[in-house]
């Protein structure tokens, strides 16, 4: 036992580096701390911060924990007997975490770190969250080491396998469960859980490595590791499906399957399918080459079942079909009503088609129950399933037109989460994002400030809130306050100094370009120097701000409305309140008049060719008709802002954050004549940019993004054919296939654009199918609305088999 004691001493020394120093009270549970309810706990937290800072000063590099596999197995031999209690402990740690007691949760898990399977992976997840928020090298190393330990601990509990079996599992997938999942049948409960924990730790470690390692070898290695994790989850699902098909609820009991294992598999399968379905086609092809595939409906249903959302989703779907048969009603803002009532037979057909599609995906993702009728899908990862769905509907949905996005549903489930965890920094932050998406940044600031006050354990969590507060101030036109928020981030956070500096400068330009000129110049000179690479690639937004910084000096220390430009790039125009949009419209109109006046005065002067700011000036259109080389960049940028403002005033984005069937069903009632007229005027602004695009000197991002926003406008008007054309033009550098003879240039933020367009096209395809199904139903066509969406449902077969 001497070796084991030495190993435990080494463990305590390493653990103390990333948290509280090892000592007699390290094994105190968070429950005991909570029961005490005195000031000592707060003092301990302060000491923890000091110890953590001292440790980082003394040791700039993390010392990895060295474990011998035989020693791990000896040390953890008893944990098989306490596995059920370990699961209960982790549930308590999750509640502490969700109630914003992060340090208590961290201490609780650290007490048995590397002594039980579940505490070890739980601690690894906590450190992973921390390093993703800080991007600090030390925190990354600590998280990577904790995940490495998790892999080794899980490996010790996995079912033993021959060398041939291991090679087969790596080549054909499925891990030790086998490609068809048959080997799971012979595993013990502990071995099954070890298999999924191994996959989870491998996956997290691979993601962190891809974000921090810069060589191609790491990319290939971690890609294969992610593939292995993915295949284990798929294998687990096939095992569950076979048990269910052979014995139904009793089959779960006969095969000794517990709810936590089902929950782990559904979380893994659901997240993989959902993430892969979001990726653009050109990126997805790379993943498909190494065995990946993703189906959105199937993945979302797995997460809905795992999170406990399924009953609410089914109830809303049933209500939608019922309301479709009625008349009248409707809602004009998201969340105003969960039961938007269509008024036409076509709307009823669309709702029926959507319900049929929902039932098909429900069939593929099995709602497991035990013989006594108890749900068998909920478990300790239910909060991760819940969080994944919130991230999809609320966070991604507010940035990109996500297919299936349903803000009213997410709001309903978020309210239920807040009832259980009223002081949760996670759920309060998500609620603030809902407020932002509803164009209520003032209320969002109040909510985010509350989150900062509640959560003081991790300063990095406050940084996320400070970013959003800064964007909310920008949406309200409080440029100085916005700049101060990013000054705080620049001083305290290391994620991207280049972006923080540029945002500070951009918002100061909006506030007082002359009075703050010295500060602005100094910051923008530093921006290109601060750019860094992740996984060997430059961060797209950093490249964008570096180009804008260089443009500032090329134009004689001038940028046109850079604050609005950065708001757009961060998907913030739909966060701007109606009154503020009116102010922006007036400012943009005044700027357009000023540029028109400059051009008129210039035309009266003798003509002279102006040199281009770009190095490729020979390939540019003659700019002799412009007062300065980037004149048409400025004109088009103002037209772009005007088009966005007019569209948001007429038909705000938050009114589109609804399921496709609701948007199609209410298209005829929501879009008034005035709205259609205003949208048409907005479209003219975007069309102007397309006509002048060849004269743009530097801002080549503008044309493809303009075509994307034009597509969004046509979707609001239910002109789906025109919307599709615009989407495809955006993917083609800003020009449709029939628009020949134009110069196609590589644009900034192209990956972001492709992500937006891909998901926009998927959503458009669903809306087209629903609308077509409704028309055929009304005309008496033998092709009923129930066939609509069958393609997606059939795709689920491929994944679940």
């Amino acid at each position: 036992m001497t070796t084991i004691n030495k190993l435990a001493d080494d463990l305590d020394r390493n653990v103390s580096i990333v948290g509280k120093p090892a000592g007699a009270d390290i094994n105190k549970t968070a429950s005991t701390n909570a029961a005490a309810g005195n000031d000592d706990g707060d003092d301990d937290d302060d000491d923890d911060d000091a110890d953590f800072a001292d440790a980082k000063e003394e040791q700039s590099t993390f010392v990895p924990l060295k474990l011998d596999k035989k020693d791990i197995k000896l040390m953890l031999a008893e944990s098989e007997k306490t596995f059920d209690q370990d699961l209960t402990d982790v549930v308590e740690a999750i509640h502490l975490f969700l109630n914003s007691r992060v340090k208590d949760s961290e201490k609780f898990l650290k007490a048995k770190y590397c002594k039980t399977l579940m505490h070890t992976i739980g601690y690894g997840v906590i450190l992973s969250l921390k390093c993703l928020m800080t991007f600090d090298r030390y925190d990354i190393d600590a998280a990577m080491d904790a995940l490495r330990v998790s892999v080794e601990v899980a490996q010790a509990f996995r079912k033993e396998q021959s060398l041939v079996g291991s090679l087969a599992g790596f080549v054909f997938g499925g891990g030790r469960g086998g490609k068809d999942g048959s080997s799971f049948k012979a595993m013990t409960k502990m071995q099954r859980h070890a298999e999924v924990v191994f996959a989870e730790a491998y996956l997290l470690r691979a993601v962190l490595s891809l974000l921090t390692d810069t060589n191609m070898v790491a990319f290939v290695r971690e890609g294969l590791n992610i593939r292995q994790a993915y295949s284990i989850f798929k294998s687990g699902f096939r095992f569950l499906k076979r048990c269910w098909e052979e014995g139904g609820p009793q089959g779960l009991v006969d095969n000794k399957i517990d709810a936590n294992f089902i929950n782990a598999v559904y979380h893994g399968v659901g997240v993989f399918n959902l993430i892969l379905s979001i990726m653009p086609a050109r990126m997805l092809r790379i993943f498909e080459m190494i065995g990946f595939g993703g189906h959105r409906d199937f993945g979302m249903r797995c997460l809905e079942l795992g999170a406990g959302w399924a009953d609410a989703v089914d109830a809303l779907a049933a209500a939608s079909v019922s309301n479709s048969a009625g008349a009248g009603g409707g809602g004009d803002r998201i969340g105003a009503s969960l039961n938007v009532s269509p008024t036409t037979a076509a709307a009823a057909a669309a709702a029926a088609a959507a319900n049929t599609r929902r039932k098909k995906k429900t069939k593929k993702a099995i709602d497991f129950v035990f013989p006594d009728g108890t749900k068998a899908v909920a478990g300790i990862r239910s909060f991760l399933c819940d969080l994944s769905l919130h991230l999809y509907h609320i966070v991604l949905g507010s940035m990109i037109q996500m297919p299936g996005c349903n803000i009213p549903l997410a709001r309903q489930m978020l309210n239920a989460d807040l009832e259980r965890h009223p002081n949760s920094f996670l759920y309060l932050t998500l609620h603030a994002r809902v407020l932002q998406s509803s164009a209520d940044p003032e209320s969002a600031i109040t909510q985010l400030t509350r989150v900062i006050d509640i959560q003081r354990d991790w300063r990095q969590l406050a940084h996320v809130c400070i970013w959003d507060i800064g964007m909310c101030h920008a949406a309200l036109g409080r440029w100085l306050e916005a700049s101060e928020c990013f000054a705080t981030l620049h001083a305290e956070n290391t994620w991207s100094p280049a972006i923080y500096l540029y945002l500070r400068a951009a918002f100061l330009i909006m506030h007082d370009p002359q009075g703050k000129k010295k500060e602005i110049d100094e910051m923008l000179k530093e921006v290109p120097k601060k750019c860094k690479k992740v996984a060997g690639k430059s961060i797209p937004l950093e490249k964008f701000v570096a180009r804008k910084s260089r443009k500032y000096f090329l134009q004689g220390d001038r940028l046109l409305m850079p604050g609005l430009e950065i708001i757009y790039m961060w998907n913030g125009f739909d966060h701007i309140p109606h009154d503020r949009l009116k102010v922006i419209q007036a400012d943009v109109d005044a700027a357009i008049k000023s540029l028109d006046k400059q051009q008129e005065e210039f035309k009266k002067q003798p003509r002279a060719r102006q040199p281009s700011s770009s190095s490729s000036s020979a390939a540019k259109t003659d700019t002799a008709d412009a007062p300065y080389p980037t004149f048409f960049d400025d004109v088009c940028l103002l037209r772009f802002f005007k088009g966005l403002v007019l569209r948001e005033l007429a038909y705000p984005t938050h009114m589109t954050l609804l399921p496709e069937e609701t948007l199609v069903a209410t298209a005829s009632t929501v879009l008034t004549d005035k709205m259609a007229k205003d949208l048409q005027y907005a479209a003219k602004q975007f069309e102007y940019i397309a006509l002048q695009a060849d004269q743009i000197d530097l801002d080549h991002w503008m044309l493809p993004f303009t075509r994307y926003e034009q597509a969004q406008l046509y979707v609001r008007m239910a002109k789906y054919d025109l919307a599709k054309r615009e989407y495809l033009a955006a993917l083609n550098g800003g020009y449709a296939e029939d628009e020949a003879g134009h110069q196609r240039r590589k644009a900034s933020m192209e990956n972001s654009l492709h992500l937006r367009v891909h998901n926009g096209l998927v959503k458009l395809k669903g809306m087209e199918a629903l609308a077509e199904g409704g028309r055929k139903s009304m005309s008496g066509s033998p092709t009923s609305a129930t066939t609509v969406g069958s393609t997606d449902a059939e795709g689920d077969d491929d994944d679940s088999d």
Side-chain angles (χ1 to χ4, degrees), residues 506-522:
F507 295 146
L508 284 179
I509 290 172
M510 300 295 290
H511 170 67
D512 184 5
Q514 297 303 319
K516 301 288 185 179
K517 186 177 185 304
K518 184 178 179 181
E519 294 176 53
I520 293 167
D521 289 354
E522 290 174 354

Side-chain angles (χ1 to χ4, degrees), residues 312-330:
V313 172
D314 294 345
L316 287 175
S320 176
V321 174
S322 175
N323 290 335
S324 297

Side-chain angles (χ1 to χ4, degrees), residues 770-788:
L770 290 168
E772 181 64 23
R775 285 192 293 270
K776 288 182 177 180
S777 177
M778 290 187 66
S779 64
S781 169
T783 304
S784 69
T786 58
T787 63
V788 177

Side-chain angles (χ1 to χ4, degrees), residues 527-576:
V527 169
K529 302 175 186 177
K530 298 291 185 181
C531 292
K532 55 188 178 182
K533 292 186 176 182
V534 174
K537 296 287 186 180
S538 300
I539 299 173
L541 195 55
E542 282 195 344
K543 288 173 67 176
F544 178 79
V545 299
R547 287 170 180 165
K548 302 305 292 187
S549 299
R550 288 191 287 268
K551 182 182 178 183
Y552 172 81
F553 294 108
L554 281 171
Q555 294 187 139
D557 303 344
R558 183 187 65 83
L559 284 175
L560 180 65
M561 297 188 175
L564 293 181
E565 191 174 34
I566 206 67
I567 287 175
Y568 171 74
M569 282 300 175
W570 209 254
N571 307 281
F573 254 82
D574 48 316
H575 300 170
I576 301 174

Side-chain angles (χ1 to χ4, degrees), residues 246 336 348 360 491 495 560 633:
E246 292 176 354
K360 287 187 176 182
W495 172 67
L560 180 65
D633 296 52

Side-chain angles (χ1 to χ4, degrees), residues 14 18 52 62-64 106 113 120-151 200-202 204-209 212 458:
N14 280 276
V18 292
F52 179 66
F62 181 82
V63 178
E106 188 177 348
Y113 174 56
T120 303
I121 184 63
Y123 188 66
V125 170
I126 291 281
L127 294 187
S128 299
L129 289 172
K130 179 186 287 188
C131 83
L132 286 172
M133 285 181 286
T134 64
F135 264 78
D136 180 80
R137 182 72 255 176
Y138 186 89
D139 292 337
I140 291 169
D141 290 342
M144 290 286 285
D145 192 61
L147 292 170
R148 176 189 60 80
V149 170
S150 299
V151 169
E200 289 168 337
Y202 234 32
L204 267 176
R205 194 164 186 266
V207 170
L208 292 183
S209 180
T212 57
W458 283 358

